[in-house]
Amino acid sequence: MTGPLLFKDIDTPGLAGLDTYRRVGGYATVLAVLGRQTPDQCIEIVKASGLRGRGGAGFPTGLKWSFVPKGTERPKYLVCNADESEPGTFKDRELIEKNPHSLIEGMILAGWAIQSNAGYVYLRGEFGWLQKILDQAIAEAYAAGLLGRDVAGTGFRFDLHTHLGAGAYICGEETALLSSLEGYRGQPRLKPPFPAVEGLYRCPTIVNNVETLVNIPHILGQGAAWYRQWGTEKSAGTKVFSVSGPVKRPGNYELPLGVPLRVLLEEHCGGMRDGLKLKAVIPGGSSVPPLPASLLDTPLDFESMNAVGTFLGSGGVIVIDEQTCMVDSLWNLMRFYAHESCGKCTPCREGTYWMTGILERLERGQGRASDIDLLADLADNILGRSFCPLGDAAAMPVQGFLKHFRAEFEHHVGQRCLANRRRDSRMGVPA
Ligand SMILES: Cc1cc2nc3c(=O)[nH]c(=O)nc-3n(C[C@H](O)[C@H](O)[C@H](O)COP(=O)(O)O)c2cc1C
Ligand code: SF4
């Protein structure tokens, strides 16, 4: 895989080691920026670059950094969100596995910009193998004087630690992540106060996604205008899209924001495999509404996705073919949300449970005609009424599936669909 920026050198043999990383220009930005550019200058460059968070919400990164209070006596923390729990998303793991030093460099620079002396990388519980790779790279950086009390001889102190969660989707939500990092149960906290003001140990904390941070050395090294050669006015830069499903070449693709969905799937992923026809695409990880095949020419950027009723989200592009049942697909997704709901608030805890039940009976051909409106009503009542965005993440796909594929749900009332009968016969399940 290649890409113009983050994936440019990704397949260079030995890139995970310090020597190779330095050979391709690694840590040059740390040497050029630390002690030479002020933290405020760095924040202004990141603001001017137009970089928006790659964790899902797309919040402007430089603006978030500027919310960290100045002149406070309290420690400030930088936390990298490497939970990568959104179904369909697998970009951060490739970035860390193959290029761990780029994350370390991004974190040193972000730490300098917000004047934090301590960073944490929070990895999901299943990423024990990635933690080893990252710890090894961190040890190399300490040995080379790039981390610790005197980063690159500049007098700036920056320590970096990794932390493994226990494998819960909700721990990707930034406030639940901070609770988990502190050793508490991973449940979301009320916002405001936002973490930038009151985060880890109630101190100012910036939480950023892996891909966001890996962009920083490029932006501070080459400048905002250079970075803006990719992407659109409001969605600057590149994005790593994780493509899964029945395409010929699934995987991670780093492309300029604004690339049409069709170009990603047909030119880069080689189109559908085995003569299958595309039915739908979930463009931003499982939490966003799907798009029907008729909207394949929509550009992949924050604004264009919103204009067609969905979101760019995490960039996890899930492809669904004509032979796949949408009721079954949504039931599958809803089981995930019901299982991962942390249980703190009623709309999400109860709503995901009830929506799962309704989808199960529809899928089994035991649904009632009123079930479809009931499903829509439940989703409408969860959206905007949950304590954290996980509730919305469960409700929005339901609304999108019903908007574009209602006929399939109606077909399921009192009968099973051809796709399910085909699947059952393949698996030897009696009719
Ligand atoms: C249920 C849920 C799961 C999330 N999972 C992740 C995740 O795995 N990785 C991530 O970076 N952000 C995740 N987020 C978004 C974070 O809360 C936060 O917005 C993000 O880490 C901020 O980083 P950014 O500004 O660099 O995007 C999740 C949000 C929710 C509501
Ligand atoms: S919406 Fe409520 S129950 Fe669901 S994960 Fe968030 S806080 Fe927990």
Side-chain angles (χ1 to χ4, degrees):
M1 302 283 172
T2 57
L5 216 60
L6 314 187
F7 271 40
K8 187 163 157 275
D9 301 305
I10 200 97
D11 288 322
T12 306
L15 185 64
L18 181 61
D19 290 346
T20 309
Y21 182 65
R22 286 195 120 153
R23 249 198 321 277
V24 298
Y27 289 112
T29 311
V30 161
L31 301 180
V33 167
L34 255 61
R36 292 165 197 258
Q37 297 207 27
T38 65
D40 281 348
Q41 281 172 328
C42 294
I43 293 177
E44 287 311 312
I45 294 170
V46 175
K47 269 190 192 170
S49 76
L51 176 67
R52 296 170 64 171
R54 305 301 196 222
F59 194 82
T61 307
L63 185 62
K64 192 197 271 192
W65 291 4
S66 71
F67 294 152
V68 173
K70 298 202 168 43
T72 165
E73 290 295 300
R74 291 182 299 162
K76 297 164 190 163
Y77 294 109
L78 174 68
V79 175
C80 169
N81 189 341
D83 195 62
E84 191 152 73
S85 46
E86 180 72 11
T89 316
F90 44 87
K91 63 193 175 68
D92 296 339
R93 74 187 72 180
E94 186 167 356
L95 286 166
I96 296 176
E97 180 188 2
K98 296 184 174 169
N99 200 357
H101 282 286
S102 67
L103 177 59
I104 298 171
E105 185 173 11
M107 289 190 74
I108 296 170
L109 292 162
W112 169 253
I114 64 162
Q115 287 293 285
S116 160
N117 301 119
Y120 294 87
V121 183
Y122 184 97
L123 299 130
R124 64 184 298 168
E126 296 86 348
F127 280 172
W129 56 282
L130 272 189
Q131 187 186 31
K132 289 198 184 92
I133 294 171
L134 200 51
D135 281 344
Q136 163 80 24
I138 289 172
E140 279 186 305
Y142 268 106
L146 292 159
L147 284 173
R149 13 176 108 241
D150 185 19
V151 175
T154 58
F156 173 60
R157 175 178 192 140
F158 192 68
D159 287 305
L160 193 53
H161 314 271
T162 60
H163 181 90
L164 214 54
Y169 175 55
I170 191 59
C171 288
E173 192 283 327
E174 58 185 6
T175 61
L177 183 156
L178 294 176
S179 297
S180 169
L181 191 53
E182 289 176 6
Y184 296 105
R185 182 172 175 176
Q187 281 194 319
R189 303 173 181 177
L190 197 63
K191 290 194 275 193
F194 289 93
V197 177
E198 200 176 297
L200 190 64
Y201 308 118
R202 306 193 72 176
C203 293
T205 304
I206 287 296
V207 182
N208 273 138
N209 171 258
V210 174
E211 186 185 349
T212 310
L213 289 163
V214 168
N215 270 288
I216 301 301
H218 299 280
I219 292 170
L220 293 183
Q222 313 285 336
W226 173 88
Y227 183 74
R228 280 187 171 278
Q229 70 181 287
W230 294 285
T232 67
E233 172 63 25
K234 291 187 175 158
S235 298
T238 66
K239 176 85 193 79
V240 183
F241 298 103
S242 307
V243 185
S244 61
V247 290
K248 287 188 183 134
R249 292 189 294 274
N252 283 321
Y253 293 87
E254 189 203 2
L255 297 170
L257 279 161
V259 64
L261 190 45
R262 184 185 299 283
V263 172
L264 170 67
L265 298 183
E266 294 182 358
E267 291 180 20
H268 295 276
C269 300
M272 300 296 283
R273 64 165 159 75
D274 304 330
L276 291 164
K277 273 185 71 186
L278 185 136
K279 186 199 286 192
V281 180
I282 307 179
S286 68
S287 302
V288 310
L291 293 176
S294 58
L295 290 173
L296 214 55
D297 289 310
T298 312
L300 283 159
D301 59 63
F302 292 102
E303 291 69 37
S304 305
M305 285 289 130
N306 294 355
V308 292
T310 188
F311 300 93
L312 189 73
S314 62
V317 178
I318 305 169
V319 177
I320 299 174
D321 67 80
E322 278 285 2
Q323 294 193 11
T324 301
C325 168
M326 295 308 269
V327 179
D328 196 14
S329 303
L330 187 58
W331 180 37
N332 183 26
L333 286 184
M334 205 48 63
R335 287 201 302 272
F336 170 78
Y337 288 105
H339 183 258
E340 295 296 336
S341 167
C342 84
K344 182 166 176 152
C345 70
T346 311
C348 168
R349 183 188 61 241
E350 298 299 318
T352 52
Y353 170 81
W354 285 104
M355 291 198 296
T356 307
I358 294 168
L359 286 161
E360 176 170 8
R361 52 174 195 261
L362 280 169
E363 208 283 324
R364 294 198 192 286
Q366 295 156 357
R368 310 165 198 140
S370 57
D371 274 346
I372 299 170
D373 286 338
L374 183 58
L375 194 58
D377 192 42
L378 276 164
D380 292 349
N381 277 293
I382 294 170
L383 194 68
R385 293 187 173 85
S386 303
F387 186 83
C388 88
L390 190 145
D392 298 345
M396 287 188 301
V398 174
Q399 293 179 327
F401 272 67
L402 289 178
K403 177 177 167 195
H404 295 296
F405 303 99
R406 193 178 173 102
E408 277 196 48
F409 288 77
E410 285 165 354
H411 176 84
H412 264 262
V413 175
Q415 64 178 336
R416 308 194 61 219
C417 72
L418 193 59
N420 289 336
R421 278 182 262 141
R422 246 192 329 250
R423 184 202 57 199
D424 284 357
S425 82
R426 255 194 334 263
M427 293 167 73
V429 179

PDB file of all heavy atoms in Angstrom, residues 62-79:
ATOM      1  N   GLY A  62      -6.113  22.015  15.593  1.00  0.00           N
ATOM      2  CA  GLY A  62      -5.436  23.195  16.152  1.00  0.00           C
ATOM      3  C   GLY A  62      -6.349  23.941  17.117  1.00  0.00           C
ATOM      4  O   GLY A  62      -5.911  24.417  18.177  1.00  0.00           O
ATOM      5  N   LEU A  63      -7.625  24.021  16.764  1.00  0.00           N
ATOM      6  CA  LEU A  63      -8.591  24.713  17.635  1.00  0.00           C
ATOM      7  C   LEU A  63      -8.692  23.987  18.977  1.00  0.00           C
ATOM      8  O   LEU A  63      -8.679  24.597  20.047  1.00  0.00           O
ATOM      9  CB  LEU A  63      -9.952  24.754  16.936  1.00  0.00           C
ATOM     10  CG  LEU A  63     -11.054  25.544  17.632  1.00  0.00           C
ATOM     11  CD1 LEU A  63     -10.674  27.021  17.743  1.00  0.00           C
ATOM     12  CD2 LEU A  63     -12.390  25.413  16.860  1.00  0.00           C
ATOM     13  N   LYS A  64      -8.754  22.650  18.917  1.00  0.00           N
ATOM     14  CA  LYS A  64      -8.827  21.868  20.157  1.00  0.00           C
ATOM     15  C   LYS A  64      -7.592  22.136  21.024  1.00  0.00           C
ATOM     16  O   LYS A  64      -7.706  22.371  22.220  1.00  0.00           O
ATOM     17  CB  LYS A  64      -8.920  20.370  19.821  1.00  0.00           C
ATOM     18  CG  LYS A  64      -9.284  19.496  21.020  1.00  0.00           C
ATOM     19  CD  LYS A  64      -8.970  18.043  20.775  1.00  0.00           C
ATOM     20  CE  LYS A  64     -10.122  17.318  20.130  1.00  0.00           C
ATOM     21  NZ  LYS A  64      -9.945  15.843  20.147  1.00  0.00           N
ATOM     22  N   TRP A  65      -6.448  22.141  20.407  1.00  0.00           N
ATOM     23  CA  TRP A  65      -5.213  22.391  21.168  1.00  0.00           C
ATOM     24  C   TRP A  65      -5.246  23.779  21.834  1.00  0.00           C
ATOM     25  O   TRP A  65      -4.724  23.960  22.927  1.00  0.00           O
ATOM     26  CB  TRP A  65      -3.982  22.316  20.260  1.00  0.00           C
ATOM     27  CG  TRP A  65      -3.666  20.944  19.747  1.00  0.00           C
ATOM     28  CD1 TRP A  65      -4.391  19.796  19.947  1.00  0.00           C
ATOM     29  CD2 TRP A  65      -2.543  20.564  18.935  1.00  0.00           C
ATOM     30  NE1 TRP A  65      -3.791  18.733  19.299  1.00  0.00           N
ATOM     31  CE2 TRP A  65      -2.646  19.185  18.685  1.00  0.00           C
ATOM     32  CE3 TRP A  65      -1.477  21.268  18.392  1.00  0.00           C
ATOM     33  CZ2 TRP A  65      -1.725  18.484  17.920  1.00  0.00           C
ATOM     34  CZ3 TRP A  65      -0.541  20.581  17.628  1.00  0.00           C
ATOM     35  CH2 TRP A  65      -0.661  19.200  17.394  1.00  0.00           C
ATOM     36  N   SER A  66      -5.874  24.739  21.144  1.00  0.00           N
ATOM     37  CA  SER A  66      -5.866  26.114  21.681  1.00  0.00           C
ATOM     38  C   SER A  66      -6.760  26.240  22.919  1.00  0.00           C
ATOM     39  O   SER A  66      -6.705  27.230  23.627  1.00  0.00           O
ATOM     40  CB  SER A  66      -6.298  27.117  20.603  1.00  0.00           C
ATOM     41  OG  SER A  66      -7.677  26.968  20.333  1.00  0.00           O
ATOM     42  N   PHE A  67      -7.604  25.234  23.180  1.00  0.00           N
ATOM     43  CA  PHE A  67      -8.479  25.289  24.364  1.00  0.00           C
ATOM     44  C   PHE A  67      -7.735  24.944  25.664  1.00  0.00           C
ATOM     45  O   PHE A  67      -8.255  25.136  26.747  1.00  0.00           O
ATOM     46  CB  PHE A  67      -9.666  24.321  24.228  1.00  0.00           C
ATOM     47  CG  PHE A  67     -10.631  24.690  23.126  1.00  0.00           C
ATOM     48  CD1 PHE A  67     -11.389  23.709  22.481  1.00  0.00           C
ATOM     49  CD2 PHE A  67     -10.793  26.016  22.730  1.00  0.00           C
ATOM     50  CE1 PHE A  67     -12.276  24.027  21.465  1.00  0.00           C
ATOM     51  CE2 PHE A  67     -11.678  26.348  21.711  1.00  0.00           C
ATOM     52  CZ  PHE A  67     -12.421  25.360  21.079  1.00  0.00           C
ATOM     53  N   VAL A  68      -6.539  24.383  25.544  1.00  0.00           N
ATOM     54  CA  VAL A  68      -5.780  24.020  26.753  1.00  0.00           C
ATOM     55  C   VAL A  68      -5.388  25.312  27.466  1.00  0.00           C
ATOM     56  O   VAL A  68      -4.761  26.191  26.866  1.00  0.00           O
ATOM     57  CB  VAL A  68      -4.513  23.206  26.373  1.00  0.00           C
ATOM     58  CG1 VAL A  68      -3.645  22.971  27.597  1.00  0.00           C
ATOM     59  CG2 VAL A  68      -4.917  21.884  25.747  1.00  0.00           C
ATOM     60  N   PRO A  69      -5.780  25.432  28.741  1.00  0.00           N
ATOM     61  CA  PRO A  69      -5.479  26.685  29.447  1.00  0.00           C
ATOM     62  C   PRO A  69      -3.977  26.944  29.535  1.00  0.00           C
ATOM     63  O   PRO A  69      -3.201  26.011  29.711  1.00  0.00           O
ATOM     64  CB  PRO A  69      -6.060  26.460  30.850  1.00  0.00           C
ATOM     65  CG  PRO A  69      -6.800  25.183  30.811  1.00  0.00           C
ATOM     66  CD  PRO A  69      -6.438  24.437  29.582  1.00  0.00           C
ATOM     67  N   LYS A  70      -3.631  28.217  29.398  1.00  0.00           N
ATOM     68  CA  LYS A  70      -2.199  28.575  29.484  1.00  0.00           C
ATOM     69  C   LYS A  70      -1.890  29.079  30.895  1.00  0.00           C
ATOM     70  O   LYS A  70      -2.766  29.533  31.603  1.00  0.00           O
ATOM     71  CB  LYS A  70      -1.883  29.657  28.463  1.00  0.00           C
ATOM     72  CG  LYS A  70      -2.129  29.165  27.052  1.00  0.00           C
ATOM     73  CD  LYS A  70      -1.387  29.934  26.014  1.00  0.00           C
ATOM     74  CE  LYS A  70      -1.415  29.255  24.667  1.00  0.00           C
ATOM     75  NZ  LYS A  70      -2.680  28.683  24.237  1.00  0.00           N
ATOM     76  N   GLY A  71      -0.658  28.946  31.273  1.00  0.00           N
ATOM     77  CA  GLY A  71      -0.220  29.489  32.556  1.00  0.00           C
ATOM     78  C   GLY A  71      -0.777  28.761  33.766  1.00  0.00           C
ATOM     79  O   GLY A  71      -0.740  29.291  34.873  1.00  0.00           O
ATOM     80  N   THR A  72      -1.332  27.553  33.567  1.00  0.00           N
ATOM     81  CA  THR A  72      -1.849  26.812  34.722  1.00  0.00           C
ATOM     82  C   THR A  72      -0.710  26.025  35.374  1.00  0.00           C
ATOM     83  O   THR A  72       0.231  25.593  34.708  1.00  0.00           O
ATOM     84  CB  THR A  72      -3.001  25.869  34.310  1.00  0.00           C
ATOM     85  OG1 THR A  72      -3.227  24.941  35.378  1.00  0.00           O
ATOM     86  CG2 THR A  72      -2.688  25.081  33.066  1.00  0.00           C
ATOM     87  N   GLU A  73      -0.821  25.852  36.691  1.00  0.00           N
ATOM     88  CA  GLU A  73       0.187  25.097  37.427  1.00  0.00           C
ATOM     89  C   GLU A  73      -0.026  23.590  37.250  1.00  0.00           C
ATOM     90  O   GLU A  73       0.884  22.797  37.474  1.00  0.00           O
ATOM     91  CB  GLU A  73       0.068  25.416  38.937  1.00  0.00           C
ATOM     92  CG  GLU A  73       0.502  26.829  39.292  1.00  0.00           C
ATOM     93  CD  GLU A  73       1.985  27.051  39.025  1.00  0.00           C
ATOM     94  OE1 GLU A  73       2.809  26.339  39.631  1.00  0.00           O
ATOM     95  OE2 GLU A  73       2.323  27.919  38.186  1.00  0.00           O
ATOM     96  N   ARG A  74      -1.258  23.228  36.874  1.00  0.00           N
ATOM     97  CA  ARG A  74      -1.580  21.794  36.785  1.00  0.00           C
ATOM     98  C   ARG A  74      -0.858  21.152  35.602  1.00  0.00           C
ATOM     99  O   ARG A  74      -0.645  21.808  34.575  1.00  0.00           O
ATOM    100  CB  ARG A  74      -3.093  21.617  36.626  1.00  0.00           C
ATOM    101  CG  ARG A  74      -3.859  21.988  37.890  1.00  0.00           C
ATOM    102  CD  ARG A  74      -5.341  21.763  37.719  1.00  0.00           C
ATOM    103  NE  ARG A  74      -5.908  22.577  36.653  1.00  0.00           N
ATOM    104  CZ  ARG A  74      -7.067  22.350  36.073  1.00  0.00           C
ATOM    105  NH1 ARG A  74      -7.791  21.329  36.443  1.00  0.00           N
ATOM    106  NH2 ARG A  74      -7.515  23.131  35.118  1.00  0.00           N
ATOM    107  N   PRO A  75      -0.487  19.865  35.736  1.00  0.00           N
ATOM    108  CA  PRO A  75       0.124  19.204  34.586  1.00  0.00           C
ATOM    109  C   PRO A  75      -0.856  19.110  33.426  1.00  0.00           C
ATOM    110  O   PRO A  75      -2.076  19.110  33.632  1.00  0.00           O
ATOM    111  CB  PRO A  75       0.459  17.804  35.115  1.00  0.00           C
ATOM    112  CG  PRO A  75      -0.084  17.693  36.474  1.00  0.00           C
ATOM    113  CD  PRO A  75      -0.653  19.008  36.907  1.00  0.00           C
ATOM    114  N   LYS A  76      -0.325  19.063  32.228  1.00  0.00           N
ATOM    115  CA  LYS A  76      -1.171  18.880  31.038  1.00  0.00           C
ATOM    116  C   LYS A  76      -0.806  17.536  30.441  1.00  0.00           C
ATOM    117  O   LYS A  76       0.370  17.156  30.443  1.00  0.00           O
ATOM    118  CB  LYS A  76      -0.896  19.987  30.026  1.00  0.00           C
ATOM    119  CG  LYS A  76      -1.253  21.363  30.543  1.00  0.00           C
ATOM    120  CD  LYS A  76      -0.595  22.413  29.684  1.00  0.00           C
ATOM    121  CE  LYS A  76      -0.738  23.772  30.319  1.00  0.00           C
ATOM    122  NZ  LYS A  76       0.215  24.729  29.737  1.00  0.00           N
ATOM    123  N   TYR A  77      -1.801  16.871  29.911  1.00  0.00           N
ATOM    124  CA  TYR A  77      -1.546  15.539  29.354  1.00  0.00           C
ATOM    125  C   TYR A  77      -1.939  15.472  27.886  1.00  0.00           C
ATOM    126  O   TYR A  77      -2.880  16.135  27.444  1.00  0.00           O
ATOM    127  CB  TYR A  77      -2.335  14.477  30.136  1.00  0.00           C
ATOM    128  CG  TYR A  77      -1.884  14.330  31.567  1.00  0.00           C
ATOM    129  CD1 TYR A  77      -2.693  14.771  32.611  1.00  0.00           C
ATOM    130  CD2 TYR A  77      -0.644  13.771  31.877  1.00  0.00           C
ATOM    131  CE1 TYR A  77      -2.286  14.651  33.935  1.00  0.00           C
ATOM    132  CE2 TYR A  77      -0.225  13.649  33.193  1.00  0.00           C
ATOM    133  CZ  TYR A  77      -1.050  14.089  34.219  1.00  0.00           C
ATOM    134  OH  TYR A  77      -0.629  13.976  35.522  1.00  0.00           O
ATOM    135  N   LEU A  78      -1.213  14.605  27.184  1.00  0.00           N
ATOM    136  CA  LEU A  78      -1.559  14.303  25.793  1.00  0.00           C
ATOM    137  C   LEU A  78      -1.897  12.818  25.744  1.00  0.00           C
ATOM    138  O   LEU A  78      -1.092  11.987  26.189  1.00  0.00           O
ATOM    139  CB  LEU A  78      -0.373  14.594  24.873  1.00  0.00           C
ATOM    140  CG  LEU A  78      -0.571  14.180  23.414  1.00  0.00           C
ATOM    141  CD1 LEU A  78      -1.635  15.051  22.742  1.00  0.00           C
ATOM    142  CD2 LEU A  78       0.741  14.304  22.630  1.00  0.00           C
ATOM    143  N   VAL A  79      -3.061  12.499  25.230  1.00  0.00           N
ATOM    144  CA  VAL A  79      -3.458  11.091  25.154  1.00  0.00           C
ATOM    145  C   VAL A  79      -3.746  10.736  23.699  1.00  0.00           C
ATOM    146  O   VAL A  79      -4.514  11.424  23.021  1.00  0.00           O
ATOM    147  CB  VAL A  79      -4.712  10.822  26.026  1.00  0.00           C
ATOM    148  CG1 VAL A  79      -5.187   9.385  25.840  1.00  0.00           C
ATOM    149  CG2 VAL A  79      -4.395  11.082  27.497  1.00  0.00           C
TER     150      VAL A  79
END
